[in-house]
Amino acid sequence: LKPELYIYYSRDNLIAVDYWKKHGIRIEAELIRKSDLCTANSTYLADYCRKFNPNSFYVGQGCDLSLFNPELVKNIPDDLKKINNPIIGYVGALVGLRLDIKLLEFIAENRPAWSIVLVGPEDDNFKNSRLHSLPNVCFLGAKKMDELPEYVNGFDVCINPQLVNEVTIGNYPRKIDEYLAMGKPTVATATTAMEVFKDYCYLAKTKEDYITEIENALNNNSEAEAARRRKFAMTNTWENNEKEMYKAINITLEERGKD
């Protein structure tokens, strides 16, 4: 193949996954080196690509947030109405490789008046965890995509309690955009990829930070802040993602023309 322009697009830290490690560590680096430019959906992955190709760009992530509109989402699901406030909630797959079970236990045990609500399918790590024995932790199970905004609507604070490891550190957390699009105060684990959200989320490095930042989120919410969060989330569109990619392409073509 002899394309006019060859672009490597990095969206996940593939070589962190066992399946890809055997040959991926060598082959991915080769592919990045030979590309005309690299684009990535997180700053971490852009920095990774830059190790092999200086012509690497962060282009953001496109999201379809049409379902997550607080002007249209007014309901709160019946199973959520039965739970005491404040509700500290998470929506998404409950996977032990990506989420910090010990952190969730710590929050629940140290703030028994808070309800920790987890919406999503569980892997065996979660099914067998001590979280199921804690009275203020509620597992609501998997829900349909079009139901998720109503659950987020009922949360007082949204969380993304990521583990920091090879698999998660570079991931663009799309659920953060979904939380912010609903105007919700959000607390998340501090990672390189989360830096782009630092002015709109509360970032925590330790389990104690999580307690502090959730309290800040509960105490400092307002309609003005909700509107500011939503405005930011709505900039992360596929259209803007495409514009950033074309910007990177044009820079590369301009530099080629100078040679």
Side-chain angles (χ1 to χ4, degrees):
L1 298 177
K2 295 182 179 180
E4 180 180 349
L5 202 69
Y6 167 40
I7 306 167
Y8 190 85
Y9 187 19
S10 178
R11 293 174 51 82
D12 274 305
N13 190 18
L14 296 178
I15 59 172
V17 181
D18 289 340
Y19 181 83
W20 299 106
K21 277 183 178 177
K22 183 174 181 180
H23 300 295
I25 292 174
R26 172 181 56 86
I27 292 173
E28 184 177 46
E30 288 182 11
L31 289 171
I32 293 171
R33 282 192 190 97
K34 73 184 287 189
S35 65
D36 294 296
L37 73 152
C38 301
T39 59
N41 72 341
S42 81
T43 53
Y44 178 91
L45 292 173
D47 288 341
Y48 167 76
C49 290
R50 215 167 276 122
K51 293 177 182 178
F52 310 106
N53 188 329
N55 201 33
S56 297
F57 302 85
Y58 167 64
V59 296
Q61 170 66 51
C63 301
D64 179 1
L65 298 171
S66 55
L67 290 176
F68 294 85
N69 185 341
E71 293 184 2
L72 302 177
V73 180
K74 301 298 183 183
N75 294 331
I76 295 174
D78 290 339
D79 54 353
L80 198 59
K81 288 178 182 178
K82 300 173 184 177
I83 298 172
N84 294 330
N85 294 89
I87 293 175
I88 315 304
Y90 171 86
V91 164
L94 299 167
V95 178
L97 178 65
R98 294 178 177 272
L99 299 179
D100 194 335
I101 291 173
K102 294 295 183 185
L103 168 61
L104 290 168
E105 291 174 356
F106 179 83
I107 296 170
E109 290 177 328
N110 283 272
R111 290 297 183 273
W114 294 353
S115 297
I116 312 302
V117 174
L118 305 173
V119 179
E122 301 173 67
D123 72 356
D124 289 340
N125 293 301
F126 270 86
K127 288 177 181 177
N128 299 321
S129 73
R130 200 161 56 83
L131 288 167
H132 283 274
S133 67
L134 299 177
N136 60 328
V137 178
C138 306
F139 288 85
L140 299 187
K143 306 296 178 183
K144 295 178 182 177
M145 184 64 192
D146 59 3
E147 295 177 302
L148 298 183
E150 293 186 351
Y151 283 90
V152 175
N153 185 41
F155 296 163
D156 295 293
V157 173
C158 297
I159 58 173
N160 192 30
Q162 277 190 318
L163 281 171
V164 179
N165 56 36
E166 285 184 304
V167 175
T168 64
I169 194 169
N171 280 5
Y172 183 98
R174 191 177 61 183
K175 71 174 71 275
I176 299 295
D177 280 312
E178 294 170 350
Y179 293 160
L180 297 180
M182 289 294 293
K184 291 295 178 174
T186 298
V187 180
T189 304
T191 64
T192 303
M194 278 300 301
E195 281 295 304
V196 296
F197 294 96
K198 66 182 180 181
D199 294 330
Y200 305 92
C201 294
Y202 299 87
L203 301 183
K205 293 183 178 179
T206 67
K207 58 184 186 295
E208 292 82 9
D209 286 348
Y210 256 92
I211 297 285
T212 301
E213 298 300 355
I214 290 171
E215 287 175 340
N216 286 336
L218 287 169
N219 294 330
N220 296 294
N221 196 22
S222 68
E223 289 187 8
E225 276 298 296
R228 191 176 74 91
R229 295 182 197 111
R230 175 165 170 78
K231 183 178 180 180
F232 170 74
M234 298 311 294
T235 66
N236 293 323
T237 63
W238 285 112
E239 290 79 8
N240 286 340
N241 179 231
E242 179 185 338
K243 287 177 184 176
E244 290 300 312
M245 291 192 73
Y246 273 110
K247 189 185 298 183
I249 290 168
N250 289 332
I251 290 171
T252 301
L253 293 175
E254 287 170 12
E255 289 298 318
R256 179 184 288 181
K258 294 175 184 177
D259 294 338

